[in-house]
Amino acid sequence: MSLYRLVADAAARTPAALAVSDLVTGMSYGELDARADTYLAALRGRGVLPGDRVLVWTDKTAEAVAVAQAVLRCGAIHVPVPRGNPPGRVARIAADARPALIVTDHAEQLPGVACVPHADLAREAPSGSRPAPRPVRPSDPAYILYTSGSTGAPKGVCLSHGNALAFVDWACRELDLTPADRLANHAAFGFDLSVFDLYGAFRAGASVHLVGETLAQAPAPLVDFLLERRITVWYSVPSVLVLMAEYGELLERGPGALRACVFAGERFPLKPLKELRRGWPGVRMLNWYGPTETNVCTSYEVTAADLARTAAIPIGSPAAGDTVSLDDGEIVVGGPTVMLGYWGGEPQAGPYRTGDLGRYDAAGLLEYRGRIDDMAKVRGHRIEPAEVNGVLVAHEKVRDAVVLVVGAGPDARLHAFVIPETGAAPEYAELRRHCARFLPPYMAIDALHTVSGFPRTGNGKVDRVALGGLVTRGAGV
């Protein structure tokens, strides 16, 4: 079984059923299947071969979904990069992935690799062409998701068709998805939450409704979207649900057709979680956990019993056929959802060490206890401060910098501590503009603190606790 078979099979069963809808248009399963074949013919005409990478740098549209399906049908590897990523970061991703082709929905070009708008690509296909897809094995790579890397450069997590299907099949069973369901896709295509939104819908023959990048951070319009599109299954980071409740009257307006609300990517603050659970007694609520390298590997269903909790909910029990254990407090995951490896690196051998700390509660459920290293979640995205740091120190007025995540969950913010070069110190707005040239919007700094030096621990390392104290004392701008 392959990921591309999900659409083809649904098209054979119910060709007229809605498959995917963006904010402008929609495609039935028959239309999506045919459109994917059009792009498949064009990609082959361009010489794309099995194992090649095709980077898709677009907004969230039905056309982008069709392109992704065509890449998989080629036996190639889909590399989704959200349109909001600036050319500097896309260039670094392209340098690592070495794509045979970059497909866009805009005229932006990158040096050294062919960039083609998907409208031009579609016109290259012979009229009426329906080429046969390339057979793939479950172990063949399907897509690469680029996360913030510990070296300061984006890092590609490579997952196979089998990795994705192990999770998707489990999720469809867990949520009892049917063709009548209408799934929202809030996450960007380059974020692992989108795997369920898209392929869970296709596996069930349901429809998926794409939330554009601008709409994704607008609380009141998001609630409108949820209700007007009659969404039955919602999946997002908790901070989005918190914003929808605080500024979009989510609880006051009711869940509409919603029957399942799933969240992942960060801790859900207990008070707003309880308010949501209390206000939506008829909606299933599930907390899913797993780094990009494993997709989802544990699950916990939030029930009325959790209204009595005084501490964070657990991340639960193993899911999707995975085994989850603790090694000196670190969460270790083995099983069918574990990645093939990092692109360009050694294949993953054995269980994956997440770098997350956990412990078991009295009921034997796993609790998340934080990160071993500095990696953190900000605005629902996993961020390695070293990547932001690397961009800051490239600015001409910055001699050295440390980036620190302050706060947790929806309140997590990126604070930059900067030692300026001789002369005028950089302004906050100036550094924000600089970051925007190289980083996606969710990695922009939230505060700037100009310092003459960094406090150090006894072994010479930067004392991050002391730096955090500068924030509480109100230093910086």
Side-chain angles (χ1 to χ4, degrees):
M1 190 66 171
S2 63
L3 286 175
Y4 67 71
R5 287 302 315 170
L6 303 181
V7 168
D9 289 348
R13 295 192 307 268
T14 54
L18 179 64
V20 57
S21 177
D22 56 33
L23 297 180
V24 177
T25 188
M27 290 186 190
S28 69
Y29 274 100
E31 291 167 338
L32 179 58
D33 188 44
R35 194 66 171 165
D37 278 347
T38 295
Y39 285 121
L40 170 59
L43 290 174
R44 285 188 176 165
R46 286 262 178 166
V48 175
L49 299 172
D52 282 348
R53 279 73 60 208
V54 177
L55 194 154
V56 183
W57 181 24
T58 64
D59 283 322
K60 289 172 64 177
T61 64
E63 287 292 336
V65 173
V67 172
Q69 287 293 302
V71 173
L72 297 176
R73 293 177 186 204
C74 262
I77 304 172
H78 179 219
V79 185
V81 178
R83 178 69 181 95
N85 278 247
R89 189 169 195 261
V90 181
R92 295 203 301 277
I93 291 173
D96 185 72
R98 302 185 304 281
L101 184 68
I102 296 178
V103 181
T104 70
D105 56 3
H106 51 85
E108 196 106 42
Q109 294 290 310
L110 294 178
V113 62
C115 295
V116 57
H118 58 60
D120 293 346
L121 187 65
R123 286 191 287 268
E124 295 176 8
S127 178
S129 177
R130 299 297 296 266
R134 175 79 60 173
V136 297
R137 299 166 298 179
S139 59
D140 287 338
Y143 56 91
I144 302 172
L145 301 180
Y146 274 85
T147 67
S148 183
S150 59
T151 62
K155 182 166 57 175
V157 179
C158 186
L159 294 113
S160 69
H161 290 263
N163 291 151
L165 287 168
F167 160 60
V168 168
D169 288 348
W170 168 83
C172 287
R173 294 191 301 269
E174 177 68 20
L175 293 175
D176 298 317
L177 293 189
T178 74
D181 277 308
R182 301 168 65 86
L183 284 70
N185 168 233
H186 180 273
F189 290 164
F191 194 20
D192 56 348
L193 272 67
S194 66
V195 174
F196 165 73
D197 301 331
L198 295 169
Y199 294 103
F202 299 156
R203 177 72 173 80
S207 59
V208 58
H209 300 256
L210 310 180
V211 178
E213 290 186 41
T214 301
L215 176 61
Q217 301 301 321
L222 276 178
V223 178
D224 293 339
F225 181 92
L226 171 73
L227 299 177
E228 292 169 3
R229 294 294 183 106
R230 305 188 310 280
I231 299 300
T232 63
V233 179
W234 177 275
Y235 186 29
S236 75
V237 295
S239 57
V240 170
L241 290 162
V242 172
L243 289 172
M244 291 167 70
E246 290 183 351
Y247 302 105
E249 299 184 336
L250 179 64
L251 287 170
E252 292 83 352
R253 299 180 68 183
L258 194 68
R259 67 175 187 83
C261 176
V262 187
F263 46 89
E266 62 190 0
R267 285 176 172 165
F268 205 134
L270 191 60
K271 184 177 178 180
L273 175 61
K274 287 183 175 182
E275 291 172 350
L276 199 60
R277 175 67 287 167
R278 189 178 293 111
W280 287 354
V283 177
R284 292 184 68 190
M285 294 175 60
L286 296 100
N287 181 29
W288 285 355
Y289 160 82
T292 303
E293 289 85 349
T294 71
N295 213 308
V296 169
C297 58
T298 72
S299 175
Y300 177 78
E301 182 155 1
V302 183
T303 68
D306 290 297
L307 294 175
R309 282 189 179 273
T310 58
I313 60 170
I315 56 177
S317 303
D322 287 335
T323 59
V324 182
S325 60
L326 295 179
D327 183 4
D328 196 25
E330 182 180 7
I331 300 173
V332 180
V333 183
T337 73
V338 175
M339 67 171 180
L340 296 176
Y342 296 111
W343 182 254
E346 294 295 321
Q348 176 66 26
Y352 174 71
R353 304 187 68 92
T354 64
D356 290 336
L357 293 170
R359 72 180 181 189
Y360 294 106
D361 66 12
L365 298 172
L366 194 61
E367 295 180 332
Y368 176 81
R369 304 295 296 169
R371 290 289 300 169
I372 291 175
D373 54 22
D374 298 328
M375 198 174 290
K377 290 291 179 72
V378 177
R379 291 175 276 274
H381 294 264
R382 189 175 73 171
I383 286 177
E384 176 57 59
E387 185 177 358
V388 185
N389 193 89
V391 169
L392 289 175
V393 297
H395 191 278
E396 60 182 7
K397 294 182 180 179
V398 175
R399 181 158 59 92
D400 203 359
V402 169
V403 176
L404 195 66
V405 177
V406 178
D411 298 322
R413 295 294 182 266
L414 282 171
H415 287 250
F417 299 84
V418 168
I419 300 174
E421 291 285 3
T422 303
E427 298 290 336
Y428 171 65
E430 181 181 7
L431 286 185
R432 288 269 300 188
R433 289 192 297 271
H434 173 71
C435 287
R437 293 175 54 203
F438 302 100
L439 299 169
Y442 64 82
M443 295 177 73
I445 61 171
D446 299 295
L448 172 64
H449 309 265
T450 301
V451 296
S452 59
F454 301 132
R456 302 281 174 175
T457 64
N459 61 8
K461 293 183 178 180
V462 173
D463 189 338
R464 293 175 177 271
V465 174
L467 280 177
L470 295 178
V471 177
T472 61
R473 292 195 298 273
V477 296

